[in-house]
Each structure stands twice: as C-alpha cells, then as structure tokens.
Amino acid sequence: MASGLAALLDDVAAIAKIAAASVDDVAGAAGKAGSKAVGVVVDDAAVTPGYAMGFTPDRELPIVWKIALGSLRNKFIFLLPGALALSVFAPWLVTPLLMIGGTYLAFEASEKILEAFVPHEAGEEMEELALSSTALEDQKVAGAIRTDLILSAEIMFIALADLAGRPFPIQAVALAVVGLAITVGVYGVVGLLVKMDDIGLHLAKGGTRGGRALGRGLVKAMPVLLSGLATIGTAAMLWVGGGILVHGLEHYGWMAIPHLVEGLSHWAGAAPGVGAITGWLGFAVGSAVVGLAAGAVIVGLVHLVGRLRSPA
C-alpha cells in the first residue's frame, strides 16, 4: 500500500513538473512574442485616446470600455482562430499578410503627416456636427474598433511569426496570453490618459498646496501629452510598418533595402558605450524611412485615384 502511494505521489510530482514546464514554456513564448510587437502596442496606446476625447467626462470611460470589448472580440473571435489556422494550414501566408499590414500602417502614418500640412476639408467636420452625441459616439467607437482590428492583427501575426516551430498548444495559449495582456495593458493606460485632466481638476481643488500644484500641472500637461502621443503613434506606425517591410523583403531574398537599413544600424551601433541603443535607433530610423517612402507612394496613388473619380 505504501509503495503504491509512493508511486502515485511520484506520478503526481512528475505531472506537476510537466505542467510547470509547460507554464514556463507558455510564459516564455508569450513574453518573447509580445516583446516583438511592442511598436504596434505603442501605436495602439497612442492612437486610441483620440477616439474618446471631445465627449462629456461621464462618457469617456464607457467609450474606452466599448473599444476594449471590441478589441477582445477582434482578437479572440476573429484573429486568434485565424492565426492558428494559418499556422497549421498556410504558414507561408504569415509573411505576406504581415507585409500587407505593415504597408497599411505606413499608409496611415503618411496620411496623418499629410493631414498635418494640408487643411482638413470642412465637409467632414460638418458631417460630424450634424450627428447626435449618441450617433457620433457609435461612429467613433466603430472607427476605433476597425483601427484596432488592423493593429491587433499585426500584433497577433508578429507574435505568431515568433512562435513558429513551437507545439500547437503552446502557440494557442501564448497567443491568447499576448492578446489578453496587451488589451488589458493598452486600454488600462488609455483609461488613465483620458481621465488625467479630471484627476488634475480634482487635485487642483484639494486642500494641500502640493496637490493643487500637481493638479494644475496635470491639466496643463494634457494637451501637450496628447499631441506628443499622436506624434509617437505616427512615428511608431512608420517604424513598425517599415520594419515589417524590411524583414519581409529580407525573407524573400530582396536584399538591397535590408542591406541599407542594416548598414545604417551597424554604423550607428559603432558609437562607444551606447552602441546597442544607437544601433537600435539606426534600424528604427531606417525602417521609418522605408515606411514613409512606401506610405507616401500609396497616399499619392489613393489621392490620384480620388481626383480622377471625382466629377470635374
């Protein structure tokens, strides 16, 4: 009896070790895969607050919550099953889909840069003013969820590309962990950002001088922060989109552009003491230039087609 119990305990211990190793594998795979998608995460966190701004304070967090739920639906109903199906049936499609998504990010960033220099058309603003607050909120939420679908697809495909060769269960759980962790992290930060001015106003009415000063500082910093986030988001789009294109070209053996970007990275990485940082910056800048070039071409084509289709 004692020997049977000892054997059972040995079996339980062995199963526990296997389970712990599996958890470690999932955690390691999820962490590594998620870190590769950090640029898209930065872009997601930078872009989303704009969709919740301009509404009354009581609607800001509900709007963020609606967008977060839409993001979870995007990831777990559409993208996670799709990514896993690709890994099993068509792994060769991952790189082309990544490149399409990277091109879209570059296009979006280039369009934002163009909009910064070309005045907006009054027609779009009048259309928004004509909507009720509920309709405008629904429109903004729908637009945010569509944007999130693209960014989430990039996150999941980047993670999937890094999980190639792992067992299918590890891929599935790691992708789920990445998707959930990134959604909670991004929309938690977004919720704090959109309420920062309200937190500042509350502190500004407080009883201590330091609290009031901090509150006024938060209120004054909000426009600067949002403007900075918009700039960071645009830069992240160019860097991530261009980087995806560079890696895709390298994957298919078209080495001219990858060699130029890697040469810039090696040159920047020769700086003594900070070579790792400057080398990364060199690659990021080179990738952003590639993204800007690709995005500018597509923006030009889109506007040309639009002009040709518009009535004389």
Side-chain angles (χ1 to χ4, degrees):
M1 187 72 173
S3 62
L5 179 59
L8 176 61
L9 291 175
D10 285 343
D11 289 342
V12 170
I15 293 171
K17 287 181 180 178
I18 294 172
S22 298
V23 170
D24 287 342
D25 284 345
V26 169
K32 185 179 179 184
S35 67
K36 294 293 183 68
V38 65
V40 188
V41 175
V42 169
D43 181 39
D44 205 355
V47 168
T48 305
Y51 290 100
M53 305 306 293
F55 294 92
T56 56
D58 62 302
R59 295 306 307 158
E60 289 174 342
L61 287 181
I63 288 171
V64 173
W65 176 244
K66 286 181 181 180
I67 299 171
L69 288 179
S71 178
L72 287 173
R73 285 195 298 271
N74 285 340
K75 291 181 177 73
F76 286 92
I77 295 179
F78 303 111
L79 298 175
L80 179 59
L84 292 174
L86 280 178
S87 73
V88 174
F89 300 109
W92 55 271
L93 266 177
V94 172
T95 297
L97 288 173
L98 273 173
M99 293 183 73
I100 292 171
T103 303
Y104 178 81
L105 289 177
F107 161 73
E108 283 283 295
S110 301
E111 186 78 10
K112 289 178 185 293
I113 293 171
L114 179 64
E115 288 174 358
F117 293 97
V118 178
H120 295 279
E121 294 184 2
E124 294 182 3
E125 297 179 358
M126 294 300 295
E127 287 178 7
E128 287 195 356
L129 290 173
L131 295 173
S132 67
S133 59
T134 302
L136 181 59
E137 179 178 317
D138 291 342
Q139 184 187 80
K140 292 288 187 181
V141 169
I145 292 174
R146 284 195 299 271
T147 301
D148 175 88
L149 179 64
I150 300 297
L151 296 173
S152 294
E154 287 300 288
I155 290 168
M156 299 299 272
F157 287 135
I158 290 170
L160 180 64
D162 203 59
L163 292 169
R166 298 271 189 161
F168 182 82
I170 298 294
Q171 288 187 355
V173 179
L175 284 176
V177 169
V178 168
L180 181 61
I182 285 175
T183 303
V184 171
V186 165
Y187 289 99
V189 170
V190 169
L192 286 175
L193 287 173
V194 300
K195 299 306 290 183
M196 194 175 84
D197 52 350
D198 294 329
I199 295 170
L201 286 172
H202 177 74
L203 291 174
K205 297 175 182 177
T208 65
R209 180 180 297 177
R212 291 196 298 271
L214 177 60
R216 289 192 296 270
L218 287 175
V219 173
K220 291 179 180 178
M222 190 64 180
V224 177
L225 177 61
L226 288 176
S227 176
L229 281 173
T231 302
I232 291 170
T234 302
M237 280 183 171
L238 290 175
W239 154 44
V240 174
I244 291 170
L245 291 175
V246 169
H247 287 304
L249 292 173
E250 188 174 19
H251 175 79
Y252 289 113
W254 301 336
M255 299 303 297
I257 291 175
H259 279 162
L260 287 173
V261 175
E262 289 170 8
L264 176 61
S265 177
H266 289 315
W267 174 79
V274 290
I277 297 173
T278 55
W280 179 86
L281 285 173
F283 186 84
V285 169
S287 298
V289 171
V290 173
L292 181 60
V297 169
I298 297 173
V299 167
L301 291 173
V302 168
H303 283 265
L304 178 61
V305 171
R307 287 183 180 181
L308 292 175
R309 287 184 175 180
S310 64

